[in-house]
PDB file of all heavy atoms in Angstrom:
ATOM      1  N   ASN A 189     -76.874 -19.187   1.611  1.00  0.00           N
ATOM      2  CA  ASN A 189     -75.721 -19.786   0.980  1.00  0.00           C
ATOM      3  C   ASN A 189     -75.657 -19.542  -0.497  1.00  0.00           C
ATOM      4  O   ASN A 189     -74.617 -19.188  -1.060  1.00  0.00           O
ATOM      5  CB  ASN A 189     -75.713 -21.324   1.223  1.00  0.00           C
ATOM      6  CG  ASN A 189     -75.427 -21.666   2.630  1.00  0.00           C
ATOM      7  OD1 ASN A 189     -74.749 -20.873   3.322  1.00  0.00           O
ATOM      8  ND2 ASN A 189     -75.816 -22.840   3.067  1.00  0.00           N
ATOM      9  N   LEU A 190     -76.842 -19.731  -1.149  1.00  0.00           N
ATOM     10  CA  LEU A 190     -76.830 -19.566  -2.595  1.00  0.00           C
ATOM     11  C   LEU A 190     -76.528 -18.130  -3.047  1.00  0.00           C
ATOM     12  O   LEU A 190     -75.744 -17.926  -3.974  1.00  0.00           O
ATOM     13  CB  LEU A 190     -78.242 -19.967  -3.170  1.00  0.00           C
ATOM     14  CG  LEU A 190     -78.470 -19.750  -4.654  1.00  0.00           C
ATOM     15  CD1 LEU A 190     -77.454 -20.506  -5.458  1.00  0.00           C
ATOM     16  CD2 LEU A 190     -79.901 -20.159  -5.057  1.00  0.00           C
ATOM     17  N   MET A 191     -77.086 -17.118  -2.330  1.00  0.00           N
ATOM     18  CA  MET A 191     -76.808 -15.754  -2.670  1.00  0.00           C
ATOM     19  C   MET A 191     -75.276 -15.479  -2.483  1.00  0.00           C
ATOM     20  O   MET A 191     -74.710 -14.720  -3.276  1.00  0.00           O
ATOM     21  CB  MET A 191     -77.612 -14.760  -1.839  1.00  0.00           C
ATOM     22  CG  MET A 191     -79.161 -14.916  -2.104  1.00  0.00           C
ATOM     23  SD  MET A 191     -79.557 -14.865  -3.781  1.00  0.00           S
ATOM     24  CE  MET A 191     -80.756 -16.171  -3.873  1.00  0.00           C
ATOM     25  N   GLY A 192     -74.722 -15.987  -1.466  1.00  0.00           N
ATOM     26  CA  GLY A 192     -73.261 -15.804  -1.248  1.00  0.00           C
ATOM     27  C   GLY A 192     -72.460 -16.444  -2.375  1.00  0.00           C
ATOM     28  O   GLY A 192     -71.468 -15.826  -2.876  1.00  0.00           O
ATOM     29  N   THR A 193     -72.904 -17.618  -2.811  1.00  0.00           N
ATOM     30  CA  THR A 193     -72.207 -18.281  -3.914  1.00  0.00           C
ATOM     31  C   THR A 193     -72.326 -17.491  -5.216  1.00  0.00           C
ATOM     32  O   THR A 193     -71.323 -17.268  -5.907  1.00  0.00           O
ATOM     33  CB  THR A 193     -72.853 -19.673  -4.148  1.00  0.00           C
ATOM     34  OG1 THR A 193     -72.739 -20.430  -2.963  1.00  0.00           O
ATOM     35  CG2 THR A 193     -72.144 -20.427  -5.286  1.00  0.00           C
ATOM     36  N   LEU A 194     -73.542 -16.987  -5.471  1.00  0.00           N
ATOM     37  CA  LEU A 194     -73.725 -16.200  -6.687  1.00  0.00           C
ATOM     38  C   LEU A 194     -72.914 -14.917  -6.688  1.00  0.00           C
ATOM     39  O   LEU A 194     -72.350 -14.508  -7.680  1.00  0.00           O
ATOM     40  CB  LEU A 194     -75.258 -15.895  -6.865  1.00  0.00           C
ATOM     41  CG  LEU A 194     -76.158 -17.067  -7.074  1.00  0.00           C
ATOM     42  CD1 LEU A 194     -77.609 -16.607  -7.186  1.00  0.00           C
ATOM     43  CD2 LEU A 194     -75.787 -17.955  -8.250  1.00  0.00           C
ATOM     44  N   TYR A 195     -72.889 -14.250  -5.536  1.00  0.00           N
ATOM     45  CA  TYR A 195     -72.177 -13.011  -5.422  1.00  0.00           C
ATOM     46  C   TYR A 195     -70.688 -13.280  -5.693  1.00  0.00           C
ATOM     47  O   TYR A 195     -69.993 -12.491  -6.375  1.00  0.00           O
ATOM     48  CB  TYR A 195     -72.349 -12.410  -4.021  1.00  0.00           C
ATOM     49  CG  TYR A 195     -71.718 -11.035  -3.851  1.00  0.00           C
ATOM     50  CD1 TYR A 195     -72.448  -9.919  -4.188  1.00  0.00           C
ATOM     51  CD2 TYR A 195     -70.431 -10.910  -3.313  1.00  0.00           C
ATOM     52  CE1 TYR A 195     -71.851  -8.620  -4.069  1.00  0.00           C
ATOM     53  CE2 TYR A 195     -69.877  -9.640  -3.175  1.00  0.00           C
ATOM     54  CZ  TYR A 195     -70.550  -8.529  -3.547  1.00  0.00           C
ATOM     55  OH  TYR A 195     -69.970  -7.272  -3.412  1.00  0.00           O
ATOM     56  N   LYS A 196     -70.158 -14.339  -5.110  1.00  0.00           N
ATOM     57  CA  LYS A 196     -68.706 -14.683  -5.322  1.00  0.00           C
ATOM     58  C   LYS A 196     -68.450 -14.998  -6.748  1.00  0.00           C
ATOM     59  O   LYS A 196     -67.423 -14.464  -7.335  1.00  0.00           O
ATOM     60  CB  LYS A 196     -68.376 -15.877  -4.418  1.00  0.00           C
ATOM     61  CG  LYS A 196     -66.892 -16.318  -4.576  1.00  0.00           C
ATOM     62  CD  LYS A 196     -66.494 -17.272  -3.468  1.00  0.00           C
ATOM     63  CE  LYS A 196     -65.069 -17.903  -3.716  1.00  0.00           C
ATOM     64  NZ  LYS A 196     -64.139 -17.138  -4.473  1.00  0.00           N
ATOM     65  N   LEU A 197     -69.283 -15.778  -7.406  1.00  0.00           N
ATOM     66  CA  LEU A 197     -69.124 -16.085  -8.841  1.00  0.00           C
ATOM     67  C   LEU A 197     -69.116 -14.815  -9.662  1.00  0.00           C
ATOM     68  O   LEU A 197     -68.335 -14.589 -10.566  1.00  0.00           O
ATOM     69  CB  LEU A 197     -70.217 -17.038  -9.208  1.00  0.00           C
ATOM     70  CG  LEU A 197     -70.226 -17.615 -10.633  1.00  0.00           C
ATOM     71  CD1 LEU A 197     -68.931 -18.244 -11.014  1.00  0.00           C
ATOM     72  CD2 LEU A 197     -71.382 -18.582 -10.806  1.00  0.00           C
ATOM     73  N   PHE A 198     -70.059 -13.910  -9.335  1.00  0.00           N
ATOM     74  CA  PHE A 198     -70.272 -12.682 -10.054  1.00  0.00           C
ATOM     75  C   PHE A 198     -68.951 -11.840 -10.027  1.00  0.00           C
ATOM     76  O   PHE A 198     -68.471 -11.331 -11.016  1.00  0.00           O
ATOM     77  CB  PHE A 198     -71.395 -11.888  -9.430  1.00  0.00           C
ATOM     78  CG  PHE A 198     -71.881 -10.720 -10.205  1.00  0.00           C
ATOM     79  CD1 PHE A 198     -72.969 -10.869 -11.108  1.00  0.00           C
ATOM     80  CD2 PHE A 198     -71.282  -9.479 -10.092  1.00  0.00           C
ATOM     81  CE1 PHE A 198     -73.410  -9.766 -11.843  1.00  0.00           C
ATOM     82  CE2 PHE A 198     -71.790  -8.394 -10.830  1.00  0.00           C
ATOM     83  CZ  PHE A 198     -72.804  -8.535 -11.689  1.00  0.00           C
ATOM     84  N   VAL A 199     -68.395 -11.741  -8.786  1.00  0.00           N
ATOM     85  CA  VAL A 199     -67.197 -10.936  -8.614  1.00  0.00           C
ATOM     86  C   VAL A 199     -65.982 -11.646  -9.204  1.00  0.00           C
ATOM     87  O   VAL A 199     -65.159 -11.011  -9.949  1.00  0.00           O
ATOM     88  CB  VAL A 199     -66.940 -10.636  -7.108  1.00  0.00           C
ATOM     89  CG1 VAL A 199     -65.589  -9.967  -6.903  1.00  0.00           C
ATOM     90  CG2 VAL A 199     -68.057  -9.789  -6.517  1.00  0.00           C
ATOM     91  N   ASP A 200     -65.767 -12.912  -8.932  1.00  0.00           N
ATOM     92  CA  ASP A 200     -64.672 -13.716  -9.442  1.00  0.00           C
ATOM     93  C   ASP A 200     -64.513 -13.552 -10.951  1.00  0.00           C
ATOM     94  O   ASP A 200     -63.437 -13.488 -11.461  1.00  0.00           O
ATOM     95  CB  ASP A 200     -64.835 -15.189  -9.120  1.00  0.00           C
ATOM     96  CG  ASP A 200     -64.468 -15.498  -7.688  1.00  0.00           C
ATOM     97  OD1 ASP A 200     -64.095 -14.540  -6.963  1.00  0.00           O
ATOM     98  OD2 ASP A 200     -64.565 -16.711  -7.233  1.00  0.00           O
ATOM     99  N   LYS A 201     -65.662 -13.644 -11.626  1.00  0.00           N
ATOM    100  CA  LYS A 201     -65.599 -13.700 -13.098  1.00  0.00           C
ATOM    101  C   LYS A 201     -65.903 -12.396 -13.807  1.00  0.00           C
ATOM    102  O   LYS A 201     -66.102 -12.355 -15.050  1.00  0.00           O
ATOM    103  CB  LYS A 201     -66.597 -14.783 -13.587  1.00  0.00           C
ATOM    104  CG  LYS A 201     -66.413 -16.135 -13.024  1.00  0.00           C
ATOM    105  CD  LYS A 201     -65.092 -16.778 -13.465  1.00  0.00           C
ATOM    106  CE  LYS A 201     -64.949 -18.210 -12.873  1.00  0.00           C
ATOM    107  NZ  LYS A 201     -63.569 -18.717 -13.101  1.00  0.00           N
TER     108      LYS A 201
END
Side-chain angles (χ1 to χ4, degrees):
N189 288 337
L190 176 58
M191 296 309 136
T193 302
L194 297 180
Y195 186 86
K196 180 167 169 30
L197 182 55
F198 192 94
V199 174
D200 281 0
K201 304 294 182 190

